[in-house]
Amino acid sequence: MQTIRNLGSFEGEFLLPGDKSITHRAVMLNSAAAGEAVITNALCGEDCVSTCACMRALGAKIDVDGSTMRVRGVERFRAGRELDCGNSGTTMRLLTGLVSGKGIDAVLTGDASLSKRPMERVARPLGLLGANVRATDGHAPVYVSPAELVGREILTDVASAQVKSAILLAGISASGITTVEEPTKSRDHTERMLSAMGAKVSVEGNRVSVEKSELSSLDVDVPADISSASYFMALGALKGKTLCKNVGVNPTRTGILRAFDKMGVRYSVLNKRSSGGEEMADILVEKSPLCGVELGGDDIPSMIDELPLIALMLAFADGESRIRDAKELKVKESDRIKTTAEMINRLGGECIPTDDGFIIRGKKQLLGGTVDSFMDHRIAMSAAVGLLASVKGGQILRPECCAISFPNFFQMLGVGTK
Ligand code: S3P
């Protein structure tokens, strides 16, 4: 259990851990590339540790020293391995795509939460490329056997970077051209990194094409994760002033800033620069009175992981808010429509779950209380923000799940671990 007392104010400068999505991709793709690469500011959270373990099982050599990873790729993956993806949907979905064209058998397994998440959404499109991928009643374990892949055009019915990436990573082993078109553009780290590693990639709006390609290793300096920074940005808006440094601001990830514009959050994006094909900047957020808003439509995929936190912030707003078009929240590490509403209500707010999002009746302040994490890192970290900004503070049950994406979250918040 983690006790969190309310705070008078919260101010500071923060250097957040590396981006989870980019770290996964840097490890996986370099493991499949010729040569050796160094990944700096890599995230060593549990999800990325799962990716490293899977890639080692496939034959890659990966040394980890703090936040620096040295990855030596292999020409041919080892066959017949069990690849334990732990809690990580990104590991399981991307890796299924990557191994499906590599001429090997593999079985991908996960923990209890991951084993409930939908895998047919990757098995089906990969099957259209000719892959031999079988999910178990639509879930893990996922079995992959050797197959010759043939590129074709695939329209996905969900804007999911994990599904898009699985198809593109299979596409680099398929003959011809593999094209994915998604209803709304999801995060685009895979296509950016594939292109930087020498794959033939073309992008036109929501359509991405890739040809059969050999990858060359690529050193990656990982920007800080905007999803991890968002908790500190929220505390700036609710309780004082925060500066988050070197944050990845790829436009497919900055939906939270567009939400901030509507909510009345005062922030500045400073020192914007480019590093290794990804944009980064420092984000300054200052205490702001928040107003109720409507969020939905095409912007949702670019703030999908931040929605529990945004909903929590809106519980502190003046007025009613509505979040729509976020059905995908139901198939994350927990059913985040249910668990976000429960977290906010336990803190004394008023959040009504709907079929595709929430209605939040802002109360300007929350009393605090005891909240379960539901073993979902994003719920635990959002609850921590809510408690710090509440009238009387409270407790988080099962807080250890933060280590999935942010191992020293509570230390960085300055509340220690109990
Ligand atoms: C991720 C994509 C998103 C996100 C997840 C990481 C990725 O999922 O929620 O935390 O690294 O590709 P979907 O693409 O399934 O929406």
Side-chain angles (χ1 to χ4, degrees), residues 40 42 52 62 80 110 114 161 197 208 214 286 289 310 322 369 375 390 408:
T40 43
C52 289
I62 304 171
L114 182 54
M197 295 178 82
V208 188
E214 297 294 328
E286 291 174 83
I310 292 171
R322 174 110 202 206
M375 288 305 280
S390 71
N408 58 351

Side-chain angles (χ1 to χ4, degrees), residues 1-36:
M1 189 170 79
Q2 175 71 51
T3 298
I4 297 194
R5 290 189 217 332
N6 69 317
L7 275 182
S9 69
F10 189 89
E11 292 199 359
E13 204 175 294
F14 302 92
L15 195 51
L16 286 315
D19 187 278
K20 181 154 84 74
S21 293
I22 296 176
T23 303
H24 280 304
R25 288 157 173 81
V27 173
M28 265 185 217
L29 297 187
N30 276 306
S31 295
E36 186 173 304

Side-chain angles (χ1 to χ4, degrees), residues 49 62 67 93 100 147 168 221 233 247 335-336 350 361:
V49 170
I62 304 171
S67 60
R93 297 200 176 105
S100 69
L168 295 175
D221 185 25
M233 290 155 57
V247 180
D335 173 347
R336 286 186 183 156
E350 194 177 344
R361 305 223 163 95

Side-chain angles (χ1 to χ4, degrees), residues 214-230:
E214 297 294 328
L215 303 181
S216 321
S217 59
L218 176 75
D219 291 343
V220 180
D221 185 25
V222 182
D225 197 320
I226 191 165
S227 300
S228 300
S230 65

Side-chain angles (χ1 to χ4, degrees), residues 20-21 25 90 93 121 159-162 187 304-305 332:
K20 181 154 84 74
S21 293
R25 288 157 173 81
T90 308
R93 297 200 176 105
R121 53 174 56 195
S160 159
Q162 297 181 355
R187 63 189 69 188
I304 191 75
D305 291 341
K332 297 296 179 187

Side-chain angles (χ1 to χ4, degrees), residues 6-12 235-236 238-242 287 388:
N6 69 317
L7 275 182
S9 69
F10 189 89
E11 292 199 359
L235 281 166
L238 294 170
K239 296 302 298 179
K241 190 173 179 177
T242 53
K287 190 167 164 117
L388 283 168

Side-chain angles (χ1 to χ4, degrees), residues 185-228:
K185 195 175 175 76
S186 63
R187 63 189 69 188
D188 63 359
H189 306 299
T190 300
E191 43 273 46
R192 287 182 186 225
M193 201 176 290
L194 280 175
S195 169
M197 295 178 82
K200 294 179 211 88
V201 176
S202 64
V203 180
E204 225 189 289
N206 301 350
R207 282 168 69 83
V208 188
S209 300
V210 69
E211 290 177 44
K212 194 176 173 91
S213 309
E214 297 294 328
L215 303 181
S216 321
S217 59
L218 176 75
D219 291 343
V220 180
D221 185 25
V222 182
D225 197 320
I226 191 165
S227 300
S228 300

